[in-house]
Amino acid sequence: MTMSPLRESALRTLQIEQAAIGGLQGKLDAQFDCACELILACHGRVVVTGMGKSGHIAGKIAATLASTGTPAFFVHPGEASHGDLGMITRSDVVLALSNSGETAEVTALLPLLKRLGVPLISMTGRTHSTLARHAEAHLDSGVEREACPLDLAPTSSTTAALALGDALAVALLEARGFTAEDFALSHPGGTLGKRLLLRVKDVMHTGKRLPQVSLGSPLRDALLEITRKGLGFTCVIDDQGRLAGVYTDGDLRRTLDQHQDLRTLCVDEVMTRPGKRIAANVLAAEAVHLMEESKITALAVVDDQQRPIGALHMHDLLVSGVI
């Protein structure tokens, strides 16, 4: 099948930008370590700045740093020279982006940063540029060519800078021992926050909503309990209150297929042993994974002694926004 000129252009762009990112691997040196160490030792914030397209990338890098455990914000270099420099303190570190390393609005900040004694990390495409030479650490984001056929519009260079910013953020994240819970604290809203903050205990059914029958109960009692509680299963407990097994809607279908007369059966004979279970303090997202892996829609929630204390249904996770 012949590829259209439009798709040929798109493919060529992707290939050039892929090569640009690949080329960064050989540029990672001790300067990257130095940049990370400066940020890890920083008691303030990382102030990220850049002009034009580099400014857009700088804003994204600042947001990524801030959401992964490194306090950061973006300052427009033009505004910084007209008052916003007051946002930068002696405790901060500045990360400045400029492909040429000669952007006037950015280099104009150098005397002010030196006077404050603020460490500077530069990210440029030219290792001998003004910005690179005056930085305590320089990150080389240089590319062979732009994806733009005129080699003018920032394309490969901005993609490389963005990828290098991500590499910096992830390296810092791992160095800090940043956890999923830490990430959730800065993302409390939306589905992402719910997936990371909600625990099983926050959405499980308890008390009278917990379906359970005792070992030795007639199957009829188990079916009535499933119907009353409406969760598609019931816990089956032993004489010490521990979970011995579960009886589910799926078990009922198997029972009907294998037994002619249900009236004489007790739940022990047809229940699933020992039954899937989960602890109350586990992240709700882990419960979703267990249900999907086991191809089930409900779980018993147990305490340290394996006694049922709650019941969790896939529908609860859907309503709460975890799924």
Side-chain angles (χ1 to χ4, degrees):
M1 182 177 178
T2 304
M3 186 177 292
S4 71
L6 294 172
R7 275 179 286 156
E8 286 181 354
S9 176
L11 181 61
R12 183 174 62 252
T13 299
L14 292 175
Q15 290 172 338
I16 293 172
E17 297 205 355
Q18 183 181 41
I21 294 176
L24 294 176
Q25 297 178 44
K27 300 177 186 292
L28 288 178
D29 55 17
Q31 289 290 301
F32 186 86
D33 296 334
C34 182
C36 290
E37 289 163 3
L38 285 170
I39 294 174
L40 290 170
C42 174
H43 297 293
R45 290 85 37 94
V46 177
V47 182
V48 192
T49 190
M51 195 71 186
K53 302 297 188 297
S54 291
H56 295 305
I57 300 302
K60 192 275 180 184
I61 291 174
T64 301
L65 288 169
S67 68
T68 53
T70 299
F73 65 94
F74 172 77
V75 169
H76 192 286
E79 298 296 334
S81 296
H82 295 277
D84 281 3
L85 194 67
M87 300 170 70
I88 305 174
T89 72
R90 297 179 187 275
S91 300
D92 297 333
V93 170
V94 170
L95 171 60
L97 278 69
S98 168
N99 187 41
S100 67
E102 304 292 346
T103 305
E105 293 86 349
V106 179
T107 57
L109 302 179
L110 290 173
L112 303 170
L113 296 177
K114 295 301 179 182
R115 189 181 307 163
L116 285 171
V118 175
L120 172 65
I121 301 168
S122 63
M123 184 185 296
T124 81
R126 294 172 56 198
T127 57
H128 300 294
S129 62
T130 300
L131 202 58
R133 286 186 290 105
H134 287 85
E136 278 73 20
H138 175 249
L139 302 178
D140 185 358
S141 60
V143 298
E144 289 188 10
R145 59 172 172 152
E146 299 288 3
C148 166
L150 302 176
D151 200 28
L152 294 173
T155 44
S156 301
S157 59
T158 50
T159 298
L162 182 61
L164 190 53
D166 286 342
L168 182 65
V170 172
L172 293 168
L173 177 155
E174 293 182 350
R176 295 182 192 279
F178 197 72
T179 66
E181 286 77 10
D182 295 325
F183 190 86
L185 292 175
S186 59
H187 298 76
T191 301
L192 181 59
K194 290 177 181 177
R195 284 183 61 86
L196 293 173
L197 286 173
L198 279 180
R199 298 186 180 273
V200 169
K201 63 184 179 183
D202 299 320
V203 290
M204 70 182 186
H205 298 276
T206 60
K208 293 181 179 180
R209 288 285 292 145
L210 173 60
Q212 56 183 358
V213 296
S214 300
L215 279 173
S217 298
L219 179 58
R220 179 179 181 278
D221 292 353
L223 296 177
L224 289 173
E225 183 72 351
I226 292 174
T227 301
R228 279 193 296 264
K229 303 300 170 63
L231 296 178
F233 87 110
T234 183
C235 300
V236 183
I237 58 174
D238 62 19
D239 55 5
Q240 294 182 320
R242 296 173 303 193
L243 184 66
V246 296
Y247 191 75
T248 70
D249 288 342
D251 291 323
L252 174 58
R253 287 189 288 273
R254 284 185 287 274
T255 302
L256 290 170
D257 184 56
Q258 297 169 7
H259 298 269
Q260 294 296 322
D261 189 358
L262 306 187
R263 292 173 297 178
T264 60
L265 294 174
C266 70
V267 71
D268 310 39
E269 300 174 64
V270 288
M271 71 181 186
T272 297
R273 298 174 184 266
K276 297 295 181 183
R277 59 195 71 193
I278 199 166
N281 205 42
V282 170
L283 289 173
E286 292 184 41
V288 173
H289 176 71
L290 177 58
M291 288 182 183
E292 291 176 339
E293 190 177 58
S294 305
K295 295 181 173 58
I296 57 177
T297 58
L299 276 172
V301 185
V302 297
D303 62 15
D304 293 339
Q305 284 74 48
Q306 299 302 303
R307 295 174 301 198
I309 57 173
L312 185 66
H313 195 275
M314 186 71 80
H315 182 260
D316 304 317
L317 298 168
L318 181 64
V319 170
S320 65
V322 177
I323 300 176

